């Protein structure tokens, strides 16, 4: 028999993390629901999962070509852009999904108990499924250009995980704030839209770090963006030493993203008991 | 009788009323409030907006108990279930729960309209806390209970509301937790299915599981529960064996025919009309304190039209006995008197030429639509009394335990 549950104001739930594990089935079902529902009553169905990344990719490639960002020799521009568009889309979709996960499921929050982290985590699973489709597109592109990545490609999952962590931390903050102040519903798309311009998607980090006209302070600020390390790492793992990582910037960016994750989980855990009261 | 499985000490839950009317806060207001607080230090938020939905609750529930929780609307029954189910945090006191608990506060929580019946069984089951293996093992039983085999692969958005409820309850009925918490979910669904559900819950609880059951239906409570708790204004009035607690509740049920409908917050509908008052009267316009068996009575409902046109006004009054069992339904849809235009009106009266109800207290629920859309719906809107009267001109009426109403009849010997 499980140990007794104590209900009291501010009582710490000692079984939270084991509960979360026990509810992993629910996590899976919720993710499955979101995927299953998405393409119901659509004529093109799952094709949409392909159309979205391909169109974004084309747009980003065009912008990079227009402004003539640096492309190392031997690397097709489209692959360089793809290597950034995909992690960025992963970030954007995790961030958006997590931030709206509580409000979008308010009917569950007010009627059933489960560790509330189940909801944001289930949207992460959905985003990862989308990512898998994008990766398939990337593999096809590489085959078309007959490009074979080096052994660095084994690091790819690490950078994917980093993208998820960065998005999860900030997203959890948004999710909790969104429960109380619906203002944050409007903040999310702004972050996603604006973030694209301060993240090396259409350009490369080298364009920033090697540009003498950008002041050092601004470069530091640039490296605080958690997605900088993710995308730099992503490109590194695909193109190896053609795209060397700017290590000091990488470390700052990584630290910021871990800090955000920690703060996000803490804030979410602290406020989640009141969600059903105010959602 | 087993060991205590739920123990509560001084349990209380406070709500801030402002938060209820406005479901969420705008950041702008918070900033504004903080700014004002800076300008006028010492000024605190008004304490009058707070209200205790539960206060100083001490109780203990033993393993295997089937506990009925009764009380009027707003007595804190649902809040208590939510606290015990860990959905909301208590404001003070503490409770200890010594077993795996599943709660059913709503029929079909998490049902997705686009998904098929089969898919929703799995989704809803996992939301209620069943593992995939448990659902698979009971899948056939659930389907058989729900009687929707033929539509298993149809999206539930195409289900009739009856099918929807049956499927949803079927999933919930096959939960096997140590403690089962059930809110008033049986109010929906047809009578036959309700009987089936109560039978199923009896079966569930006879297996030694603890059940907490909220209902306005005293017959269901008496049928199902061996002990009961009576809540009033958030406080526990009495806990004990069911007949005694139910008797106490019925004694305390307040008298008076009218009810101030205007003040009711727990209403649904788009507000095309809003009912403000209910009174009993005579056909010639007089007032009545109580109806009388066998005499004419008029149920008068005053309403305010909303800003839009009030076309095709429809009103239904559902009359319940003290046990919460629906015994009569009066509706201008069944009488065929549709009010095509009611913009200029402020009152609907229902004339009952010879009141068939036997002496006692009755409750009613009010439901109205305008142009086919729900305009105003107040569950358990109020109560009224019926005094004894001379229905048959013999000075005699059936005894109080012989049903809720009588009808004209005669006997023939041949």
């Amino acid at each position: 028999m499980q140990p007794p549950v104590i209900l009291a104001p501010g009582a710490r739930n000692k079984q939270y993390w084991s509960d979360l594990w026990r509810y992993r089935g629910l996590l899976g079902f919720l993710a499955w629901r979101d995927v299953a529902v998405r393409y119901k009553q659509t004529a093109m169905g799952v094709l949409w999962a392909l159309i979205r990344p391909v169109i974004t990719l084309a747009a980003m490639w065009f912008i990079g070509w227009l402004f003539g960002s640096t492309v190392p020799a031997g690397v097709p521009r489209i692959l360089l852009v793809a290597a950034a568009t995909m992690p960025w889309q992963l970030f954007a979709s995790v961030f958006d999904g997590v931030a709206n996960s509580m409000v979008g499921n308010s009917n569950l929050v007010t009627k059933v108990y489960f560790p509330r982290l189940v909801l944001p985590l289930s949207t992460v699973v959905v985003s990862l499924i989308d990512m898998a489709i994008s990766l398939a597109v990337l593999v096809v592109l590489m085959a078309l250009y007959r490009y074979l990545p080096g052994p660095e490609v084994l690091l790819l999952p690490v950078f994917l995980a980093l993208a998820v962590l960065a998005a999860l931390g900030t997203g959890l903050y948004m999710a909790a704030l969104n429960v109380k102040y619906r203002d944050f519903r409007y903040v999310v798309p702004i972050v996603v839209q604006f973030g694209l311009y301060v993240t090396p998607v259409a350009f490369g980090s080298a364009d920033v770090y090697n540009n003498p006209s950008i002041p050092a302070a601004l470069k530091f600020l640039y490296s605080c963006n958690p997605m900088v390390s993710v995308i730099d790492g992503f490109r590194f793992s695909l193109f190896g030493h053609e795209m060397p990582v700017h290590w000091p910037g990488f470390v700052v960016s990584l630290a910021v993203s871990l800090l955000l994750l920690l703060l996000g989980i803490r804030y979410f855990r602290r406020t989640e008991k009141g969600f059903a009261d105010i959602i | 009788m087993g060991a205590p499985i739920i123990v509560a000490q001084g349990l209380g839950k406070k709500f801030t009323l402002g938060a209820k009317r406005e479901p969420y806060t705008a950041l702008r207001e918070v900033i504004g409030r903080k700014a004002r607080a800076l300008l006028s230090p010492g000024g605190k938020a008004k304490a009058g907006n707070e209200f205790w939905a539960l206060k100083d609750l001490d109780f203990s529930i033993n393993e295997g108990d089937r506990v009925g929780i009764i009380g009027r609307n707003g007595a804190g029954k649902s809040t208590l279930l939510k606290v015990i189910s860990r959905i909301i945090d208590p404001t003070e006191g503490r409770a200890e729960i010594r077993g795996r608990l599943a709660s059913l506060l709503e029929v079909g929580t998490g049902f997705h309209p686009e998904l098929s019946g089969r898919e929703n069984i799995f989704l809803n089951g996992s939301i209620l806390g069943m593992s995939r293996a448990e659902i698979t093992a009971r899948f056939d039983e659930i389907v058989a209970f729900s009687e929707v085999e033929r539509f298993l692969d149809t999206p539930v958005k195409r289900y009739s509301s009856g099918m929807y409820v049956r499927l949803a309850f079927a999933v919930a009925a096959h939960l096997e937790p140590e403690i089962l918490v059930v809110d008033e979910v049986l109010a929906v669904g047809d009578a036959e299915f309700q009987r089936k559900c109560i039978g199923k819950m009896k079966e569930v609880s006879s297996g030694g599981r603890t059940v907490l059951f909220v209902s306005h239906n005293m017959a269901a409570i008496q049928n199902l529960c061996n002990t009961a708790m009576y809540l009033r204004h958030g406080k526990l009035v009495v806990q004990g064996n069911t007949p005694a607690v139910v008797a106490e509740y019925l004694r305390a049920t307040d008298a008076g025919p009218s009810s101030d409908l205007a003040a009711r917050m727990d209403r649904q509908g788009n507000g095309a009309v809003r009912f403000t008052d209910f009174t009993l009267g005579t056909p010639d316009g007089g007032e009545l304190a109580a109806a009388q068996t066998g005499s004419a009575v008029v149920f008068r409902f005053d309403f305010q039209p909303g800003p839009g046109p009030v076309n095709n006004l429809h009103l239904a009054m559902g009359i319940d006995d003290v046990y919460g069992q629906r015994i009569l339904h009066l509706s201008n849809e069944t009488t065929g008197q549709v009010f095509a235009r009611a913009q200029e009106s402020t009152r609907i009266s229902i004339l009952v030429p010879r009141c068939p109800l036997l002496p006692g207290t009755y409750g009613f629920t009010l439901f109205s639509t305008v142009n086919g859309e729900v305009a105003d719906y107040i569950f358990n809107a109020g109560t009224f009394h019926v005094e004894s009267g001379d229905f048959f001109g013999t000075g005699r009426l059936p005894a109080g335990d012989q049903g809720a109403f009588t009808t004209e009849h005669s006997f023939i010997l041949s």
Side-chain angles (χ1 to χ4, degrees), chain B residues 351-386:
Chain B
L351 167 68
V352 181
R354 293 186 73 200
C355 179
L357 296 169
L358 292 178
T361 303
Y362 298 88
F364 66 92
T365 286
L366 191 59
F367 179 82
S368 75
T369 62
V370 168
N371 249 341
E373 283 184 39
V374 181
D376 200 13
Y377 171 31
I378 311 177
F379 184 67
N380 282 346
T383 58
F384 62 89
H385 281 294
V386 177

Side-chain angles (χ1 to χ4, degrees), chain B residues 232-314:
Chain B
R232 190 175 177 188
H233 304 310
K235 291 189 176 149
L236 181 61
V237 178
V238 57
Q239 180 184 17
N241 67 14
T242 309
V245 176
V246 169
E248 173 69 28
Y249 168 70
L250 295 180
R251 216 181 359 263
T253 300
D254 50 349
S258 65
S259 65
D260 186 11
L261 299 175
R264 286 290 284 268
M265 297 301 297
D266 55 334
R267 63 205 309 159
Q268 292 168 38
N270 60 16
V273 293
R274 276 264 181 273
F275 285 88
T276 54
D277 204 12
F278 164 74
T279 46
L280 293 178
T282 56
D284 55 18
E287 289 273 325
L288 277 181
Q292 203 178 20
T293 312
S295 303
V297 62
V298 179
F299 300 112
R300 298 192 294 221
F301 296 95
D302 291 327
F303 66 89
Q304 267 181 351
V310 185
N311 296 336
N312 300 319
L313 177 62
H314 159 234

Side-chain angles (χ1 to χ4, degrees), chain A residues 1-11 13 15 19 22-23 25-26 29-30 32-34 36-37 40-41 107-114 116 178-185 272-279, chain B residues 11 13 15 19 23-28 30 82-100 103 105-106 109-110 112 114-116 119-120 122-123 126-129 132 135 157-158 178:
Chain A
M1 198 180 119
Q2 66 177 48
V5 174
I6 309 287
L7 310 177
N13 183 354
Q15 291 136 38
D19 265 5
R22 221 156 47 76
Y23 277 88
L26 175 60
F29 272 117
L30 288 173
W32 162 81
R33 171 196 70 178
D34 289 345
V37 162
K40 294 245 166 170
Q41 262 192 26
N107 61 328
L108 297 187
V109 174
T110 54
K111 296 291 182 209
V112 221
Y113 166 80
F114 50 83
R116 300 306 183 208
N178 219 347
V179 169
K180 190 154 189 201
Y181 309 108
R182 295 293 199 275
D183 300 83
F184 287 91
R185 184 164 40 178
E272 89 181 295
K273 283 191 150 195
F275 283 172
D277 286 331
I278 53 175
I279 201 163
Chain B
L11 208 59
K13 176 72 189 176
F15 284 114
Y24 54 84
T25 336
L27 189 59
R28 163 176 48 84
V30 177
K82 280 193 173 183
V83 169
I84 290 177
S85 311
R86 293 212 271 170
I87 293 163
I88 56 179
D89 223 20
T91 315
E92 55 174 40
R94 78 182 240 130
E96 205 174 313
I97 302 195
R98 299 172 185 146
R100 193 179 148 201
S103 46
L105 302 191
E106 177 189 62
T109 303
H112 199 291
E114 299 284 351
L115 297 178
S116 71
E119 292 166 329
N120 268 308
F122 279 93
L123 180 63
S126 79
I127 285 171
L128 293 174
R132 189 195 189 91
I135 305 170
K157 66 177 175 184
R158 311 231 187 278
E178 284 152 330

Side-chain angles (χ1 to χ4, degrees), chain A residues 94-106 109 116-121 123 167-185 187-188 263-265 267-269 271-272 274-275 278-279:
Chain A
V94 170
F95 179 65
D96 184 66
V98 169
N100 290 310
S101 59
M102 302 312 296
V103 172
N105 287 295
S106 57
V109 174
R116 300 306 183 208
L117 267 176
V118 165
L119 288 173
L121 291 179
T123 69
L168 187 62
T170 40
L172 284 176
Y173 235 107
M174 288 290 157
L177 285 168
N178 219 347
V179 169
K180 190 154 189 201
Y181 309 108
R182 295 293 199 275
D183 300 83
F184 287 91
R185 184 164 40 178
V187 173
V188 172
L263 289 176
I265 291 181
Y267 185 72
F268 187 89
R269 288 281 287 116
T271 50
E272 89 181 295
F275 283 172
I278 53 175
I279 201 163

Side-chain angles (χ1 to χ4, degrees), chain B residues 123-147:
Chain B
L123 180 63
N124 186 238
S126 79
I127 285 171
L128 293 174
M130 281 193 254
S131 70
R132 189 195 189 91
E134 281 176 297
I135 305 170
T136 314
R138 284 174 215 147
F139 188 81
D140 293 336
E141 263 179 87
I142 294 176
V143 173
F145 190 87
S146 70
E147 305 166 11

